[in-house]
């Protein structure tokens, strides 16, 4: 058997062990290096109270633990999606019951067209006012104001004679303008770059779902309750969105995501800290002085002109030329709206294998087939609505992807987006009115559909020209290819 050595109290080996143990404890407490031990690691300072768990993300970002005193990002985004239901439906719900409004108020087709023209015109003309409001009150209160304004506009539009209907349409347009400006900023604040594309797709898809639900339900409601109650019923949805959003209003810390702060990019949130002093300002030319900016604005104008013209008058076209009932025409129009979601998804798949020129040509072919089929064979209205629905969703999404391709930074992308949408909406605001006036002057839908084809030709030509210019710019050795896979917008 092995003999066990007995260590006495005065043994020198035990003295050395005691000395090393005591020195290690003192070194660990003091944070200094001790001979015979590895370098001690000091604990990092604790984060400010109420921000633990957020890491290097903005406080409360989707995918991170929310700061104390803030609503969960899931709740914020869910409330925003409920609000998105009211950002397209209020003015598209007029078309399925245009006959009822016209007969009750003694209006013409041109006047009915104003009900869809005015909100679109507000999107362009009231953008400076909406931007000033957002800067003054911040994102959260601005969205609450937007939903309250839409709710009030819906009530005013259904309350009185033609003047009240007109005034209510203006109020609705102002509210939707604020919502359109502030919603992308809230999505960017509440999500990490990894989730921004998914949440943005959900937001735009929800707007299309709201438009579909409105066009599908307004005709039966009008037959049951009358057109005034049918139009004002959507105020319940915007009121629900107000309540949902109000529950998320908590004191929010003003923070900037680490990635954006590292690039010295300014945050759009008025409450966010200013960028570091000495940050160089951009030397790029204003977007309004660039050829690509104008090409994208004209393409957006052609896309939006065709979309709103078809969305506003498709029910009437189907009743007059295809002999459909009011409810059936509303159902086909709803199908046209909901297919925009599928069109956006198909675009992301197509860009992986098809060139931008091929994608643009494919969108143009689908879009042009819609009015051509309605013109030559209105009995094939379901095919026309299917092709047009896919094309309008893909066309709008393609324009926003092109903005990401041409922009050197997030701030530059915002400039392109603001110019494209503001200019495009102003140029396209009168298109539903023009289609209605042309129908009233010709007592038919041939010339109005030819006008829609002209809008689509403008969209196709200018988008192809923009694609060529962007491709030429990205062909430089230091620039990535135009056909690179899409990434999450930061």
């Amino acid at each position: 058997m092995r003999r066990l050595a007995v260590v006495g109290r005065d043994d020198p080996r035990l003295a050395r062990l005691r000395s090393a143990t005591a020195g290690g404890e003192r070194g660990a407490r003091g944070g200094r290096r001790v001979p015979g031990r590895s370098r001690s690691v000091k604990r990092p300072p604790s984060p400010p109270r109420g921000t633990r768990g957020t890491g290097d993300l903005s406080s409360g970002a989707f995918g991170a633990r929310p700061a104390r005193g803030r609503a969960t990002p899931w709740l914020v985004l869910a409330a925003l999606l409920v609000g998105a239901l009211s950002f397209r439906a209020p003015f598209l719900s007029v078309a399925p019951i245009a006959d009822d409004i016209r007969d009750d108020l003694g209006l013409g087709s041109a006047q009915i067209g104003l009900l869809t023209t005015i909100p679109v015109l507000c999107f362009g003309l009231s953008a400076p006012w909406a931007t000033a409001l957002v800067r003054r009150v911040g994102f959260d209160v601005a969205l609450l104001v937007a939903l309250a304004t839409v709710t009030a506009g819906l009530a005013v539009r259904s309350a009185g004679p033609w003047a009240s209907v007109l005034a209510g349409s203006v109020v609705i347009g102002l509210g939707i303008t604020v919502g359109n400006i502030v919603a992308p900023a809230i999505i960017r604040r509440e999500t990490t770059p990894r989730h921004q594309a998914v949440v943005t797709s959900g937001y735009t898809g929800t707007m299309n779902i709201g438009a579909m639900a409105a066009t599908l339900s307004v005709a039966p409601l009008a037959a049951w309750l009358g057109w005034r109650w049918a139009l004002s019923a959507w105020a319940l949805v915007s009121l629900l969105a107000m309540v949902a959003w109000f529950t998320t209003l908590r004191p929010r810390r003003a923070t900037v995501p680490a990635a954006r702060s590292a690039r010295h990019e300014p945050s759009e949130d008025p409450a966010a800290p200013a960028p570091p002093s000495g940050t160089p300002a951009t030397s790029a030319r204003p977007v309004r002085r660039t050829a690509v900016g104008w090409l994208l604005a004209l393409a957006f104008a052609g896309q939006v002109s065709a979309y709103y013209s078809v969305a506003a008058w498709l029910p009437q076209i189907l009743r007059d030329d295809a002999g459909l009932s009011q409810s059936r025409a509303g159902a086909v129009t709803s199908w046209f709206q909901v297919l925009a979601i599928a069109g956006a998804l198909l675009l992301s798949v197509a860009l992986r294998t098809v060139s931008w020129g091929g994608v643009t040509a494919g969108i143009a072919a689908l879009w042009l087939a819609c009015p051509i089929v309605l013109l030559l064979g209105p009995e094939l209205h379901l095919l026309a609505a299917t092709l047009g629905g896919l094309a309008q969703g893909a066309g709008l999404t393609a324009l926003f992807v092109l903005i990401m391709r041409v922009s050197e930074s997030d701030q530059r992308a915002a400039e392109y987006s603001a110019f494209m949408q503001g200019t495009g909406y102003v140029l396209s605001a009168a298109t539903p009115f023009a289609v209605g006036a042309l129908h009233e002057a010709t007592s038919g839908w041939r010339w109005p559909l030819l006008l829609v084809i002209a809008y689509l030709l403008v969209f196709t030509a200018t988008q192809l020209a923009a694609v060529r210019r962007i491709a030429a710019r990205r062909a430089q050795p230091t620039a990535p290819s135009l056909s690179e896979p899409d990434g999450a917008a930061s």
Side-chain angles (χ1 to χ4, degrees), residues 469-480:
R469 284 184 172 269
I470 296 172
R473 178 184 301 183
R474 307 297 278 186
Q476 298 176 1
T478 58

Side-chain angles (χ1 to χ4, degrees), residues 291-313:
V292 172
W294 278 103
L295 288 172
L296 290 176
L298 291 174
F300 186 82
Q303 157 75 22
V304 172
S305 297
Y307 167 73
Y308 282 117
S309 297
V310 174
W313 292 107

Side-chain angles (χ1 to χ4, degrees), residues 212-278:
M212 178 202 67
T215 55
L216 188 63
S217 62
V218 69
L221 284 176
W224 179 34
L225 301 172
W227 70 267
R228 295 182 184 275
W229 285 107
L231 289 181
S232 61
W234 205 257
L236 297 176
V237 178
S238 58
L239 186 62
L240 175 63
M242 286 178 57
V243 175
W245 185 253
F246 186 78
T247 60
T248 69
L249 293 182
R250 306 276 183 86
R252 301 179 183 270
R253 280 183 72 90
T255 57
V256 179
R260 185 185 305 161
S261 179
R263 295 192 304 264
H264 302 314
E265 292 181 12
S267 171
E268 290 85 352
D269 195 331
S277 59

Side-chain angles (χ1 to χ4, degrees), residues 99-107 227-228:
D99 287 342
D100 296 344
I101 302 174
R102 181 189 299 111
D103 296 340
D104 187 27
L105 299 178
L107 306 176
W227 70 267
R228 295 182 184 275

Side-chain angles (χ1 to χ4, degrees), residues 113-123 162 165-167 169-171 173 429:
L114 281 175
L115 299 183
T116 53
T117 299
I118 289 176
V120 178
L121 188 61
C122 287
F123 296 162
W162 166 242
V165 175
L166 205 61
S169 300
V170 173
V171 175

